[in-house]
Amino acid sequence: MNKGLLITFEGPDGSGKTTQISMLKEYLNNKGFEVIYTREPGGTKISEKIRDIILDNKNSEMSPMCEALLYASARAQLVQEVIKPAIESGKIVICDRFVESSIVYQGIGRNLGEDRIRSINEAATDGLKADITFMLTIPFEEGLRRKAKQKSFDRLENSGSEFHRKVYEGYMNLAKSADYIKVVDANKPIEEVHKDILQLIENLL
Ligand code: TYD
């Protein structure tokens, strides 16, 4: 049996990942692939509980390292319970956020350093890497505009504009650093973004 694929989506808050993920999932399903959708932090019973702790506005005293390790814990459980078994049985896994979110949000946004976050996550994922990562980019101000329409904000979303500016710049720099990361201009009509994604994934299928 062929090994499956791990496709991940990254991007700052408001970049439209959820819409693009569901369009890609439908496309792949129609082509006859078995597709599993999951999200981070979350995707398992334990990881969803960890998610609640991380995003809870009441946990304002949480230290950056505690936050980074909780994201890594949620990820470790998701990799071992869901992602690895699915890939090993030939399925395509689409994950909303993965290690790159930790590199950018905790490594850069929270100043923990990229190298430290990489090594924590090397352990958490048992070395598993995405086959392709779509990084959806939009201008910083457009992201803020899209997010402002939400009714409530979690602890990460309430982390202030300096944090979000660092995350944004972190994403832009990370995008240039590796071949498996594909930058997608998400400041376009939804259908056009979807077509760009299909073009980029074509030769992996
Ligand atoms: P979520 O509601 O899933 O956000 P989004 O819809 O924008 O993906 O909340 C996840 C939040 O956690 C989001 O603000 C990004 C942040 N995050 C990290 O800081 N580090 C991580 O490793 C991951 C996976 C997410």
Side-chain angles (χ1 to χ4, degrees):
M1 186 186 290
N2 283 339
K3 269 196 106 206
L5 277 182
L6 174 58
I7 303 169
T8 65
F9 276 74
E10 292 285 349
D13 294 2
S15 57
K17 288 185 276 79
T18 315
T19 308
Q20 291 304 326
I21 288 173
S22 67
M23 289 171 90
L24 178 62
K25 182 171 185 295
E26 197 184 327
Y27 171 86
L28 293 170
N29 279 145
N30 289 339
K31 285 218 137 198
F33 292 103
E34 240 192 293
V35 184
I36 301 230
Y37 159 78
T38 190
R39 68 157 181 190
E40 283 220 52
T44 73
K45 181 172 64 75
I46 293 169
S47 310
E48 290 288 334
K49 284 192 170 175
I50 299 172
R51 175 189 177 90
D52 290 343
I53 298 171
I54 297 174
L55 299 181
D56 188 345
N57 279 308
K58 288 196 217 94
N59 291 333
S60 57
E61 75 277 33
M62 187 180 291
S63 76
M65 185 49 90
C66 174
E67 181 180 292
L69 291 169
L70 285 175
Y71 276 113
S73 303
R75 183 166 296 132
Q77 187 63 28
L78 180 67
V79 165
Q80 114 104 26
E81 193 179 320
V82 176
I83 300 181
K84 276 206 168 168
I87 293 174
E88 272 153 28
S89 65
K91 294 177 186 145
I92 295 181
V93 179
I94 305 181
C95 194
D96 186 346
R97 300 188 179 278
F98 200 54
V99 174
E100 288 68 25
S101 281
S102 283
I103 292 172
V104 172
Y105 282 79
Q106 283 65 54
I108 297 163
R110 302 283 195 223
N111 295 318
L112 289 173
E114 202 175 315
D115 290 347
R116 231 169 356 155
I117 298 299
R118 279 191 195 279
S119 74
I120 291 167
N121 278 281
E122 182 70 23
T125 61
D126 196 20
L128 180 72
K129 302 272 184 301
D131 295 284
I132 188 165
T133 297
F134 293 111
M135 188 171 292
L136 271 44
T137 62
I138 43 164
F140 185 65
E141 276 70 26
E142 175 61 18
L144 291 184
R145 250 196 308 279
R146 290 187 193 179
K147 268 289 178 192
K149 293 182 190 144
Q150 273 182 209
K151 288 195 198 75
S152 61
F153 297 91
D154 62 42
R155 194 178 62 82
L156 266 284
E157 288 164 337
N158 280 326
S159 290
S161 62
E162 200 204 320
F163 173 75
H164 286 287
R165 170 75 68 177
K166 280 205 276 189
V167 165
Y168 184 80
E169 281 162 11
Y171 265 128
M172 295 302 143
N173 291 329
L174 189 63
K176 298 176 203 142
S177 72
D179 278 354
Y180 71 92
I181 302 179
K182 308 292 179 198
V183 178
V184 177
D185 176 5
N187 197 28
K188 296 202 287 192
I190 288 171
E191 276 299 336
E192 279 184 43
V193 181
H194 177 58
K195 275 193 199 135
D196 291 347
I197 289 174
L198 294 189
Q199 252 179 10
L200 288 162
I201 206 167
E202 208 173 29
N203 59 355
L204 273 183
L205 298 175

